Each structure stands twice: as structure tokens, then as C-alpha cells.
Amino acid sequence: MKPKVAVIAVRSPSGETGGAERFYEGLVGALNSAGVQADLLSIVSDESNFEAIKESYLRFYDLDLSGYDGVISTKAPTYLVRHPNHVCYLVHTMRVFYDMFEYEYPYPTIELYKQQELIHQLDTAALQYPRTRKIFVIGNEVKKRLLKYNGLDSEVLYMSLTFDGFKSGSYEYIFMPGRLHRWKRVDLIIKAMGFVKRPITLKISGTGEDEGTFRELAKHDERIVFCGRVTDQDLVNLYANALVVPFIPIREDFGLVTLEAFRSCKPVITCTDSGEPAYIVHDGETGFVCPPDPEIIGSKLEYLYDHPEIAEDMGIRGSKSIRHITWENVSHKLLSALGFSKE
């Protein structure tokens, strides 16, 4: 009889989906392919205010998982679950109480400090052994954060892509996909375009909370096009014919954009403070790792416009550089930690 494994996921109250949902899909599929019966348990987590956050923590703590032989938690606060055979594959803790606290609250109140302290205490207690047998994290940025704020060690385990239909086409425009949120720093690429004197288009796909701000910033540059939400096939085509893909968030946990661009044989421009993309992109080989300076980023965009053959070579090297990242490796590691397979 196959071992039963529960993958505990967070669901947005609004039903919005994104990279996390693709992560869950890939993880469950890989586990089932590895010979266990994996179920995705997706529970609503409301982060709209602190009372809702505390209720979400309690919701996961109260889950009855007695019907499962093993449990894999993922994103905060799923790791509050109680089960004797629990490992965590951590996407991230609630970043607004961690590395983005000062960014979002430049003048925090005593109450906010108390809230931050409580979240740190709850997270540390939940993720400690033996409540959690082992912690895997999706990238080095999450590993560093967990060690700094919670004093907990972990093992980096890269996820793969759930969709592998990416292809390489021509090298025509700059393409920036993703959520239009200030942490993704779309404004930085818009400002960089002010230093680009070449007749190249910047295509930005996606929607998000700060879309209006970004559109206002870009309104005087006709080369900047907002594509809105696109289908999977449109996304593939946009990647396929891009010259370069800038991915310049601040302290990103992982970022599927880097893998998607490389699978499409496109170079990636990222920043020294962009988190995991700066580990994956090799400066001058598979793209560029720049300071978060719009003028420097603009100069790299112009360089690739002037040398499309170098952009192509970088993209091909990027594609080769991620061949070792597979879901099979992920399932093997997680199931070994749960005691369901041998290393």
C-alpha cells in the first residue's frame, strides 16, 4: 500500500494564483510519480490584518492530519501543523515580519514590534526539531533569512518548472513578466529605459497592486507596453522572441522567471540585491548581475541590443546551466526525509 502524504498549501482568500500554485502543482505531481499517494490540502490564509493572521496560524495548527503517513508543509503558516512525521519545504515565512519589515514600516509602532516578535516566536517553535523533522528551503535567500531571524539551519533544494513547453525564437524586445508589485521593482526597469537610446520595446506582462503607479511612471515612453494578464501560450511566445529578460526584484526567494527565461534560451539581467536570481545568473556568462542602478541596467540593455549574438550565446549557456534542476531530485530528497525512500 502506498504511503499517504499531505502537502499543505496556502490559498489566497481572493483566489489569486501565481508562482506558488505552480510550485504546489509540480511538487504534488513529482511525489505521485515517485510512488506515494500525495494529496494537496489548500487552506485559506488571510493576511489582511494581524487578527486574521493569528486566525490563519490557528487554522493550520488545528488541522487533523491523522489519516496521513507523512506531511510536507510549505509556505507560512502551514508549518504550524502537528504531525509526528513532518518535514517543511519552505517557500518563505511572512516576509513583512522579516526582511521587508523596515521596508514596509519605516516608522514601526511598539505594537508592530510586538507582532513581529510573536510571529518570530511562533515560526521558530513550529520549525524546530522534533515538530519539524527537517527543513528544506527553495533557495539560499530563504536559508539565510531563516538562520538570521530564527537561528535554524536548512538545506537548499531548488524546485523545477511545472510546464516545460518553453522554446527559443528570435531576439527582438525586452520582456519583463511577473506580478506588478513594488517588491518586484518594475519601476527600476522603467527608469532604466530612460537611459536606453535604442529603438527597442519593453513588454511588461502581469497585473498587481502597484500597476497604476508603474503605468503612470511609464506613460511618457511609447516604447513601454503593458500586456496585462497573458495566457500560458502567450507567455511562451513572449519569452521565445525576447532579446533579454530583466528580473530585478528585491531579495527574491527564488523566482521562476529565471528558469523560464533560461529554458527559452534568453539571458537574464538581475541585481546584486535580488536574492536567488543573483545566485543562478552567472555575471557575463548567462546574463548580467548589476547594482540596482537604472543607468547601469540601461547600459546592459543597450549592450545586448547592439550584440544580439552575445545575447543568444548567453541564453544558450543559461539553458545548459539549469539542466540539473529537476522535480525528481526534489521528490527523492523529501521522501527520504520522511523515511519513505533511501538516499
Side-chain angles (χ1 to χ4, degrees):
M1 193 171 179
K2 293 181 179 180
K4 289 186 67 178
V5 176
V7 174
I8 316 299
V10 163
R11 187 170 77 248
S12 166
S14 66
E16 184 182 358
T17 61
E21 284 67 34
R22 295 201 296 277
F23 165 75
Y24 302 141
E25 178 187 342
L27 177 55
V28 171
L31 292 169
N32 281 318
S33 296
V36 300
Q37 180 189 327
D39 296 333
L40 179 64
L41 304 185
S42 189
I43 314 297
V44 169
S45 178
D46 185 356
E47 299 180 21
S48 59
N49 59 70
F50 196 67
E51 285 305 312
I53 288 172
K54 288 192 291 184
E55 288 174 10
S56 294
Y57 267 67
L58 190 60
R59 193 174 300 122
F60 285 96
Y61 182 81
D62 284 340
L63 275 181
D64 181 5
L65 299 167
S66 57
Y68 289 93
D69 303 301
V71 171
I72 300 171
S73 60
T74 54
K75 200 174 175 184
T78 64
Y79 40 72
L80 266 288
V81 296
R82 291 173 293 165
H83 193 278
N85 194 17
H86 164 219
V87 301
C88 182
Y89 187 16
L90 185 61
V91 178
H92 58 70
T93 49
M94 289 187 184
R95 292 185 62 195
V96 73
F97 293 111
Y98 284 86
D99 63 308
M100 301 306 286
F101 186 77
E102 288 82 7
Y103 187 93
E104 289 294 312
Y105 306 117
Y107 306 104
T109 63
I110 293 174
E111 184 63 25
L112 279 169
Y113 278 125
K114 288 180 178 178
Q115 292 175 3
Q116 182 190 41
E117 183 181 8
L118 177 59
I119 293 297
H120 287 191
Q121 289 174 345
L122 290 172
D123 289 354
T124 302
L127 287 165
Q128 278 182 333
Y129 185 87
R131 289 196 82 259
T132 301
R133 290 182 59 170
K134 183 162 183 175
I135 307 169
F136 295 93
V137 290
I138 62 170
N140 293 279
E141 189 69 21
V142 182
K143 179 183 176 71
K144 288 193 302 182
R145 197 181 304 147
L146 201 60
L147 197 58
K148 175 181 178 180
Y149 293 98
N150 307 94
L152 298 172
D153 201 7
S154 57
E155 180 178 338
V156 174
L157 183 58
Y158 278 165
M159 72 177 90
S160 189
L161 296 173
T162 55
F163 173 76
D164 207 12
F166 295 97
K167 60 187 180 182
S168 176
S170 55
Y171 291 76
E172 301 173 14
Y173 47 79
I174 304 161
F175 177 49
M176 188 175 196
R179 184 174 158 208
L180 302 186
H181 186 275
R182 55 193 172 278
W183 294 1
K184 304 299 181 181
R185 294 198 297 202
V186 183
D187 57 320
L188 190 54
I189 194 68
I190 293 172
K191 291 172 184 174
M193 286 296 288
F195 294 96
V196 175
K197 305 309 177 187
R198 308 297 191 269
I200 186 168
T201 299
L202 165 63
K203 296 186 178 184
I204 301 171
S205 74
T207 60
E209 302 90 322
D210 298 309
E211 181 175 351
T213 302
F214 299 142
R215 283 183 177 272
E216 180 67 22
L217 186 63
K219 69 180 182 181
H220 298 300
D221 193 334
E222 294 181 352
R223 299 171 301 169
I224 301 176
V225 178
F226 287 84
C227 305
R229 189 182 297 276
V230 299
T231 66
D232 287 347
Q233 191 53 56
D234 286 339
L235 184 68
V236 166
N237 292 333
L238 283 163
Y239 271 119
N241 298 310
L243 171 73
V244 58
V245 175
F247 186 46
I248 50 178
I250 183 165
R251 296 190 289 274
E252 181 74 20
D253 302 309
F254 182 72
L256 290 172
V257 170
T258 313
L259 300 193
E260 292 170 348
F262 281 173
R263 285 283 172 87
S264 308
C265 294
K266 306 301 173 181
V268 173
I269 293 178
T270 192
C271 291
T272 50
D273 63 349
S274 285
E276 208 58 34
Y279 287 89
I280 300 173
V281 177
H282 298 152
D283 186 43
E285 295 180 21
T286 61
F288 294 110
V289 182
C290 310
D293 182 309
E295 185 172 2
I296 295 174
I297 294 168
S299 70
K300 299 302 184 185
L301 295 172
E302 284 197 334
Y303 176 81
L304 292 176
Y305 178 87
D306 293 338
H307 302 90
E309 72 286 354
I310 292 179
E312 184 174 2
D313 288 344
M314 283 182 164
I316 292 170
R317 284 196 292 269
S319 179
K320 292 177 180 177
S321 74
I322 60 169
R323 285 178 179 171
H324 66 286
I325 301 174
T326 66
W327 278 116
E328 183 181 9
N329 181 52
V330 170
S331 62
H332 176 73
K333 289 275 192 180
L334 291 172
L335 293 177
S336 294
L338 288 170
F340 298 142
S341 65
K342 295 179 180 178
E343 283 282 2

